[in-house]
Amino acid sequence: MMDYEKVGLMVGIEIHQQLDTRHKLFCYCPTPHREVEESNFEFIRYLRLKKSEIGEEDRAAREEVERSRRFVYKYYDTTCLVEADEEPPRELNREALEIAIQVAKMLNMEFADEVHVMRKIVIDGSNTTGFQRTALVAFDGFIEVDGKRIGIATLCLEEEACRKVDEGEGYAVYSLDRLGIPLVEIGTEPDINTPEMAKKVAAKLGMILRSTGKVKRGLGTIRQDVNISIRDGARVEIKGVQDLDILDKIVEYEVVRQLNLLEIREELKRRKAEVDGRIFDVTDVFRNTKSKIIRNKTVKAILLKGFAGLVGKEIQPGRRLGTEFADIAKTFGLGGIFHTDELPAYGISEDEVKNLKAFVAAEEGDAVIMAAGDAARVERALKRIIERAKYCLVGVPEETRKANEDGTTSYLRPLPGAARMYPETDVPPVLITQEMLEVEIPELIEERARRYEKLLPKDLAWEMADSPYYRLFEEYAAKMQPTVVARVLHILPAYLRKEGVNVDVLEERHFRLVLDMILNNEMAKEGAEEALKILAERPDAGRKEVLSRIGVAEDLDGFIRKLVEEKADLIAERGEGAFKPLMGLVMKEFRGRVDGKVVAEKLRRAIEDFIG
Amino acid sequence: MLEGRRVRIKAKGRVFEGIAMPSFTGNFVLKLDNGYNIGFKEYELLEVLDEERFEVEIPQLARKEGLPNLKIISTGGTIASKVDYRTGAVTSQFSAEEIASEVPELTEICNVDAELLYNILSENMKPQNWIELARHVYDALKKHDGVIITHGTDTMHYSSAALSFMISTPKPVVFVGAQRSSDRPSSDAAMNLLCAARVASEDLGEVVVTMHGSTSDDFCYVHRGVKVRKNHTSRRDAFQSINIRPIARVEYPSLNVEWISWRFRRNERELNLMDRLEEKVVLIKFFPGLRSDILEYYHSRGFRGFVIEGTGLGHVSTDWMETLRRICEDSVVVMTSQCLWGRVCDRVYDTGRDLIRAGVIEGEDMLPEVALIKLMWLLGNYSMEEAKEMVKKNIVGEIEPTTKY
């Protein structure tokens, strides 16, 4: 078990939650997800970096520009000229601001008197304008998790970026459907000091957000960015953690990565290692290579003196220092890199490795890294890899990384500087009035869950409290058995989804129909599963159709009457003893559709009547 | 003055440090160190902190042999403006070095000289500004291979028409602007400027406008200065040629030029300047119910040039006939159409025939704005009778002899 206090772990979380508003933050477009095939128009753009007055360029933006890409944007009938950067933004969406204020109040925050919309430079193409519009709404709040107070530094209202749908050498394709959906970004102070705490804080913030009932739900509607640092390490921002379950693992693995990088630094110092700054054109060495990956391409190499064995050293499960270099190459549009710690391989022969080493005058103990592809791209990527390799002698570089599904992370870009924000003059500032602050704070999901624990088993109480249909639950739980209501609203849909039934089409009216049929004794509670299934398949089916398809009470009576006639001999012979075998026959037909108790009662009466 | 200074203040019960920003609402606006601006109604100033200012060093531009020498004259179009991320201010400075540092590709296609003539918004342009601009362009054309004029988009087509009449040019004079302010990474300014520089280096001898040809960053169109109009409030491809196809298409980023319709070639015309303009010329848009008093008003104020933006083929209400007859006696009255697309013809309907009898001159397929400027120029440089003769005569391409699909 790692001693996180000893390594000086500090974690801050940034939550980005999409709001469920009627329209986008700076235009009147709706916010549905669209399939790329539904796009009715596309256009292309390039983005350019702008220098500040003091001649400074944002380093993250600079690197994006050097990757120099052409951006293709997919347009839909649900997007407009504002998303296309062909019309000025409209005024800030008040509905979104109201939700942001509500959330901020729940986080015990202090408010700005006047909200100013800013432009945050983003040059990766995910914003058509080259910036993201963002506004600081509140600051200085806190929440309590396990008795520990976690500071909430800022709450910002900002626009969601485009969805990347494809990319390749020199281009990226983005979908405009997501651009402009309102987001609240909540940033904690770096008060978190264990991986478990990180997960708990994120879960609590998520719970608070959902308690408003005004946030979007489902895949990709909430994302966590995690800022992690350890003593002697560096602040690393990990972007886009979609799955809360791996948040602790991400923190854990990042600590491991930083410790390993520090260890590599110590070893490099011991070896007196250094990075030769030159880029060698080694295309001729591979003139007749059998490796398909580099054949007929420009191949260039760099020399890392004293790095042998370390480039292949694992720093996170399945990831080596070489993988970090390969990440950089990939961001410059290349397939990756080769390094001598892993060669000969990939069709590159031992002789070629020998010639490569001779070409760059590599000695025993040195490592050579090479990349192949378009000459200019290879040059730019290797230049950046040299920079990164030099940093191995310093320690852990500050950077932005992206979360992988297994909890490891990959290099994305340098950490953006603070010098990248300027006012969005197209949107007037908004005064936060006393009236706007008088918004009611909703009941928290956890408070609601505690109320439900009196009605339901604990796990189910929490699920039900967190359900978008909790209001429906409360309404029907007052009239019928709460467990039956929870079963219809939560357990059965979850089960049917696993069975492959498309329960996403079910709406409140469908659940009401099913609950009413049970409440009015038109259907046994056992029939609910079948009824929901029918409604999922035919959402427009009415009450009559559902009842006729699951078999109504009349059918049951008829079936029993017929059965009693057919089995007259048996009943005559066994009397009431015939109940058991006959019950089996009825249930074979009606199981899951009619309550067993009802069947038993009817059958018993029919037998009694027959016997007279 | 606190603006631009680093301050420490107390507000909302805590201490903030940042840069004091300009405010338009009366509240105090502070730029925090995380880059966000935030407004406070009440605050207490604790301290003003001093900060060192940076001097920007801009490398000198080296002239390259064999490249065309171009002059860029700025009239205030923020084609190469800069943003100060610290204060958020956008400034429009203008030296050749600064332009080249913003759009470095420019130095690969031409040598640039730059001049900041005005720093005004294009909606504030006046005929006097066109005269001064024409004189500067005329001087530049003596020494340079081509001239680029950066201009605000709102009235760019008025300015391009004015210069088209005032300067007989043997070289390209290219107007260019940006629909997105050039402080944004997505601005159309750089691409428009690069395409303009290529056009200014080409075999061309007239005044043109070069702007995006589509919403994409894929090509620019080159429009004749007297046949172009801003047809959208915000789109990159707002400028369109009317009643003629664009002169050329410039691909981006290759900058290959494809000529589409006829053009004045380089050195086809002698350099000449006729820079007088009569300012008492008015453009009146007719609409149902508008009374002819408006004509009387201008006439009584000494206006002798009238361009009417009529309906359809070139009509106004029959009630205007009496007034028009009177005014035409000592004024030039030109009929154009609010349809914009098409040619005026007052010989089809009775109203039109009455207009011609009253002395109104058909403006052919001229855009109303272009007819306005042409009349200013004609009345500034010729007699009334000569002006009347020349209205229907094509001078610089403002009238096409035939109308094409």
Side-chain angles (χ1 to χ4, degrees):
Chain A
M1 192 65 199
M2 175 103 48
D3 185 344
Y4 289 105
E5 203 183 321
K6 208 172 132 202
V7 300
L9 175 66
M10 278 166 73
V11 179
I13 296 175
E14 250 180 40
I15 298 233
H16 301 82
Q17 169 73 64
Q18 290 182 1
L19 304 182
D20 195 19
T21 49
R22 280 185 296 277
H23 59 80
K24 290 183 176 179
L25 193 53
F26 294 106
C27 72
Y28 290 94
C29 286
T31 61
H33 171 91
R34 300 302 298 271
E35 298 301 329
V36 180
E37 304 80 64
E38 295 170 335
S39 167
N40 55 6
F41 179 62
E42 67 172 40
F43 58 90
I44 62 154
R45 295 278 168 74
Y46 300 92
L47 292 174
R48 297 176 82 90
L49 180 58
K50 294 290 156 184
K51 283 183 193 149
S52 80
E53 186 180 63
I54 52 172
E56 275 180 351
E57 289 172 343
D58 183 65
R59 56 187 171 172
R62 170 85 266 164
E63 188 166 317
E64 285 291 353
V65 168
E66 282 184 351
R67 296 172 191 168
S68 93
R69 280 189 295 178
R70 189 167 165 263
F71 303 117
V72 182
Y73 295 98
K74 296 285 182 183
Y75 186 94
Y76 305 89
D77 55 10
T78 49
T79 53
C80 73
L81 290 192
V82 174
E83 286 108 324
D85 189 39
E86 284 283 49
E87 186 177 289
R90 315 293 287 267
E91 291 198 18
L92 183 76
N93 179 343
R94 290 304 174 99
E95 187 189 7
L97 182 59
E98 279 162 22
I99 300 170
I101 288 171
Q102 190 178 37
V103 172
K105 284 192 79 169
M106 293 164 83
L107 301 173
N108 312 296
M109 302 184 83
E110 190 62 67
F111 289 89
D113 289 326
E114 198 174 69
V115 174
H116 286 253
V117 180
M118 308 297 292
R119 298 171 172 176
K120 189 195 281 181
I121 295 290
V122 179
I123 321 248
D124 63 3
S126 61
N127 289 78
T128 45
T129 49
F131 51 75
Q132 178 190 32
R133 296 188 183 95
T134 173
L136 180 65
V137 175
F139 49 88
D140 256 12
F142 66 89
I143 54 169
E144 267 174 29
V145 177
D146 284 354
K148 187 175 156 65
R149 185 177 267 223
I150 304 292
I152 306 295
T154 53
L155 182 142
C156 298
L157 187 56
E158 53 190 36
E159 53 183 358
E160 176 70 286
C162 288
R163 203 156 50 83
K164 193 192 278 176
V165 291
D166 187 21
E167 67 186 319
E169 193 165 331
Y171 75 93
V173 184
Y174 288 98
S175 175
L176 289 176
D177 58 340
R178 208 180 68 177
L179 180 65
I181 294 178
L183 284 182
V184 286
E185 185 211 76
I186 299 166
T188 74
E189 300 283 357
D191 292 343
I192 300 160
N193 45 27
T194 65
E196 298 71 40
M197 180 63 86
K199 196 168 163 175
K200 281 183 179 166
V201 169
K204 174 113 187 188
L205 286 170
M207 183 273 294
I208 290 172
L209 284 161
R210 286 194 307 280
S211 296
T212 64
K214 292 168 190 165
V215 300
K216 283 201 186 276
R217 289 166 172 247
L219 201 67
T221 56
I222 184 165
R223 292 190 303 278
Q224 273 91 210
D225 291 355
V226 199
N227 281 289
I228 303 170
S229 71
I230 61 168
R231 196 173 299 115
D232 298 329
R235 185 166 82 87
V236 165
E237 182 181 58
I238 294 165
K239 285 198 102 66
V241 184
Q242 293 204 15
D243 184 358
L244 197 61
D245 285 339
I246 60 164
L247 196 62
D248 49 348
K249 210 177 203 180
I250 285 195
V251 177
E252 205 180 302
Y253 282 176
E254 179 57 23
V255 173
V256 168
R257 194 184 71 95
Q258 295 202 13
L259 288 173
N260 279 327
L261 286 175
L262 292 174
E263 211 169 274
I264 287 174
R265 175 185 72 180
E266 294 315 308
E267 176 61 21
L268 287 171
K269 277 187 185 164
R270 263 195 296 279
R271 295 185 188 179
K272 300 197 167 35
E274 60 176 320
V275 177
D276 187 317
R278 288 173 296 173
I279 296 174
F280 303 88
D281 191 327
V282 295
T283 311
D284 280 344
V285 174
F286 300 97
R287 184 65 63 198
N288 300 308
T289 187
K290 290 208 167 59
S291 168
K292 279 183 193 149
I293 321 171
I294 60 174
R295 201 186 298 155
N296 299 326
K297 283 181 187 160
T298 301
V299 190
K300 297 191 183 199
I302 58 171
L303 176 59
L304 310 182
K305 297 187 79 65
F307 275 65
L310 294 178
V311 182
K313 183 182 157 66
E314 194 171 82
I315 53 174
Q316 265 187 344
R319 294 181 52 89
R320 285 158 279 281
L321 181 58
T323 324
E324 302 264 294
F325 297 152
D327 287 344
I328 293 173
K330 280 178 193 157
T331 64
F332 281 87
L334 299 174
I337 56 147
F338 297 101
H339 59 85
T340 43
D341 282 1
E342 58 174 2
L343 296 178
Y346 311 110
I348 296 170
S349 69
E350 201 162 344
D351 274 351
E352 283 166 341
V353 176
K354 208 177 283 170
N355 292 340
L356 170 71
K357 284 187 171 170
F359 193 103
V360 302
E363 293 167 19
E364 188 85 7
D366 294 351
V368 184
I369 291 186
M370 50 180 217
D374 168 68
R377 272 180 203 286
V378 170
E379 184 84 21
R380 282 198 290 260
L382 285 179
K383 214 172 120 196
R384 180 71 182 86
I385 291 171
I386 287 172
E387 220 176 84
R388 176 67 189 88
K390 280 183 177 164
Y391 213 89
C392 288
L393 295 152
V394 182
V396 183
E398 286 196 335
E399 61 195 18
T400 303
R401 302 179 65 82
K402 108 175 171 265
N404 301 323
E405 276 173 22
D406 61 357
T408 63
T409 57
S410 323
Y411 170 78
L412 206 56
R413 55 177 172 256
L415 209 58
R420 56 163 187 168
M421 284 231 266
Y422 66 110
E424 169 52 278
T425 43
D426 296 343
V427 180
V430 183
L431 205 65
I432 294 190
T433 60
Q434 198 50 45
E435 194 188 354
M436 287 160 90
L437 293 177
E438 275 160 15
V439 57
E440 214 172 297
I441 292 183
E443 178 185 40
L444 286 181
I445 288 167
E446 60 182 25
E447 293 164 6
R448 195 183 299 147
R450 269 180 227 115
R451 274 200 295 122
Y452 290 1
E453 276 178 30
K454 291 177 193 125
L455 306 169
L456 299 170
K458 190 173 172 184
D459 281 358
L460 192 55
W462 279 77
E463 296 277 10
M464 209 57 249
D466 200 359
S467 159
Y469 293 115
Y470 77 89
R471 283 198 184 87
L472 208 56
F473 169 78
E474 296 199 5
E475 183 186 331
Y476 281 88
K479 298 185 271 193
M480 55 200 279
Q481 222 180 333
T483 47
V484 174
V485 184
R487 192 175 144 80
V488 170
L489 293 177
H490 178 75
I491 296 175
L492 289 175
Y495 167 76
L496 287 170
R497 175 174 285 124
K498 266 189 215 143
E499 298 285 295
V501 178
N502 181 21
V503 288
D504 293 334
V505 301
L506 294 177
E507 295 168 22
E508 185 179 322
R509 64 188 171 100
H510 297 123
F511 292 113
R512 272 188 188 282
L513 179 63
V514 173
L515 288 166
D516 282 340
M517 286 191 299
I518 297 171
L519 193 63
N520 301 335
N521 290 321
E522 292 170 296
M523 178 182 77
K525 63 180 192 291
E526 282 75 9
E529 182 185 328
E530 186 65 21
L532 286 172
K533 205 169 149 186
I534 291 164
L535 288 166
E537 280 157 10
R538 289 197 15 86
D540 291 331
R543 193 171 136 273
K544 269 191 184 155
E545 187 180 336
V546 175
L547 285 175
S548 77
R549 282 184 58 183
I550 57 172
V552 289
E554 284 169 45
D555 275 347
L556 176 65
D557 293 338
F559 186 86
I560 289 173
R561 203 181 309 121
K562 237 171 108 193
L563 187 71
V564 169
E565 281 165 17
E566 276 168 20
K567 302 289 176 185
D569 293 350
L570 182 78
I571 299 168
E573 185 185 321
R574 296 207 199 163
E576 279 176 18
F579 173 78
K580 221 170 174 190
L582 291 186
M583 182 69 187
L585 289 171
V586 182
M587 285 311 284
K588 202 175 147 199
E589 197 66 24
F590 288 88
R591 192 184 310 280
R593 285 153 52 186
V594 186
D595 191 341
K597 265 190 251 163
V598 177
V599 175
E601 202 175 301
K602 285 183 190 273
L603 181 63
R604 194 159 275 140
R605 198 175 306 136
I607 293 171
E608 279 167 11
D609 286 350
F610 183 84
I611 298 168
Chain B
M1 274 290 282
L2 278 183
E3 281 174 25
R5 307 286 301 272
R6 187 170 185 83
V7 295
R8 187 176 294 136
I9 64 157
K10 197 171 175 187
K12 302 267 176 182
R14 58 160 278 184
V15 175
F16 291 93
E17 206 177 288
I19 313 231
M21 301 292 294
S23 167
F24 305 100
T25 56
N27 289 325
F28 179 76
V29 181
L30 188 71
K31 181 174 212 61
L32 304 174
D33 287 339
N34 60 12
Y36 281 98
N37 289 5
I38 177 170
F40 295 112
K41 271 192 219 151
E42 282 166 21
Y43 73 103
E44 182 190 336
L45 181 66
L46 299 179
E47 199 178 347
V48 178
L49 304 138
D50 277 321
E51 225 186 27
E52 49 180 319
R53 300 288 290 177
F54 294 88
E55 284 299 321
V56 196
E57 271 211 38
I58 293 168
Q60 286 295 304
L61 266 184
R63 243 163 219 296
K64 286 186 191 158
E65 285 298 321
L67 290 185
N69 297 312
L70 303 181
K71 175 79 171 268
I72 301 183
I73 298 175
S74 174
T75 65
T78 53
I79 197 102
S81 63
K82 285 186 184 173
V83 57
D84 177 1
Y85 289 86
R86 221 167 37 86
T87 62
V90 178
T91 51
S92 166
Q93 287 156 343
F94 211 74
S95 74
E97 282 77 13
E98 281 164 331
I99 297 168
S101 82
E102 286 289 327
V103 190
E105 303 99 305
L106 206 55
T107 59
E108 286 156 30
I109 53 178
C110 59
N111 292 312
V112 177
D113 282 321
E115 179 191 354
L116 179 63
L117 178 59
Y118 301 123
N119 203 351
I120 54 176
L121 302 168
S122 83
E123 56 269 36
N124 294 330
M125 276 274 168
K126 310 254 179 319
Q128 196 50 47
N129 298 122
W130 297 332
I131 292 169
E132 201 182 342
L133 175 61
R135 289 175 184 160
H136 280 255
V137 173
Y138 175 74
D139 286 340
L141 284 169
K142 291 178 193 161
K143 290 172 241 154
H144 292 83
D145 299 316
V147 174
I148 294 170
I149 301 159
T150 66
H151 199 290
T153 55
D154 275 18
T155 64
M156 186 150 69
H157 50 300
Y158 288 88
S159 295
S160 68
L163 262 66
S164 296
F165 290 110
M166 287 194 278
I167 305 171
S168 161
T169 176
K171 295 170 185 172
V173 175
V174 186
F175 277 85
V176 66
Q179 283 284 79
R180 294 285 88 69
S181 69
S182 51
D183 56 291
R184 329 175 150 221
S186 62
S187 172
D188 48 335
M191 173 179 147
N192 290 349
L193 185 61
L194 286 166
C195 290
R198 168 48 50 88
V199 172
S201 316
E202 286 290 324
D203 178 13
L204 181 73
E206 60 178 296
V207 178
V208 296
V209 167
T210 299
M211 292 287 285
H212 264 60
S214 81
T215 191
S216 289
D217 291 338
D218 52 358
F219 70 94
C220 275
Y221 271 136
V222 180
H223 307 278
R224 175 153 296 129
V226 284
K227 278 291 183 196
V228 65
R229 196 170 184 280
K230 184 174 181 177
N231 281 340
H232 197 280
T233 59
S234 60
R235 276 176 66 155
R236 283 168 173 76
D237 54 357
F239 283 82
Q240 293 176 333
S241 285
I242 293 193
N243 294 326
I244 185 182
R245 297 178 69 199
I247 295 175
R249 179 182 156 119
V250 187
E251 298 299 326
Y252 186 82
S254 72
L255 301 185
N256 290 333
V257 179
E258 182 200 346
W259 299 103
I260 302 173
S261 48
W262 72 271
R263 69 189 192 273
F264 290 101
R265 311 287 283 254
R266 194 178 275 270
N267 298 323
E268 191 176 324
R269 295 186 288 184
E270 291 290 320
L271 180 62
N272 189 29
L273 177 70
M274 288 177 81
D275 61 0
R276 280 187 301 247
L277 290 175
E278 170 54 57
E279 291 195 25
K280 289 196 162 175
V281 177
V282 66
L283 171 61
I284 295 166
K285 182 173 188 145
F286 171 80
F287 58 87
L290 181 68
R291 293 182 350 184
S292 61
D293 300 12
I294 190 79
L295 296 172
E296 311 259 14
Y297 167 80
Y298 280 108
H299 191 260
S300 70
R301 290 290 174 115
F303 281 65
R304 292 297 175 263
F306 294 81
V307 176
I308 298 170
E309 202 177 304
T311 57
L313 279 169
H315 302 136
V316 290
S317 165
T318 317
D319 342 324
W320 280 36
M321 234 37 96
E322 187 47 46
T323 311
L324 280 170
R325 232 186 316 269
R326 194 154 12 91
I327 283 173
C328 282
E329 281 173 18
D330 65 348
S331 309
V332 189
V333 182
V334 183
M335 181 59 71
T336 60
S337 173
Q338 48 198 252
C339 297
L340 306 178
W341 289 89
R343 190 179 302 271
V344 164
C345 181
D346 281 320
R347 285 154 287 120
V348 179
Y349 297 103
D350 278 346
T351 308
R353 287 189 279 267
D354 288 345
L355 284 167
I356 289 176
R357 270 193 290 276
V360 172
I361 305 168
E362 293 164 306
E364 294 284 333
D365 68 337
M366 271 190 292
L367 282 163
E369 300 92 331
V370 173
L372 170 79
I373 302 234
K374 183 175 182 178
L375 204 46
M376 285 180 169
W377 181 75
L378 289 175
L379 292 174
N381 294 283
Y382 298 93
S383 71
M384 178 73 66
E385 288 319 303
E386 285 172 314
K388 282 187 177 174
E389 286 292 309
M390 290 172 79
V391 166
K392 287 185 76 165
K393 221 178 97 189
N394 176 37
I395 299 168
V396 292
E398 75 279 14
I399 294 172
E400 280 286 302
T402 57
T403 316
K404 307 277 195 218
Y405 278 106

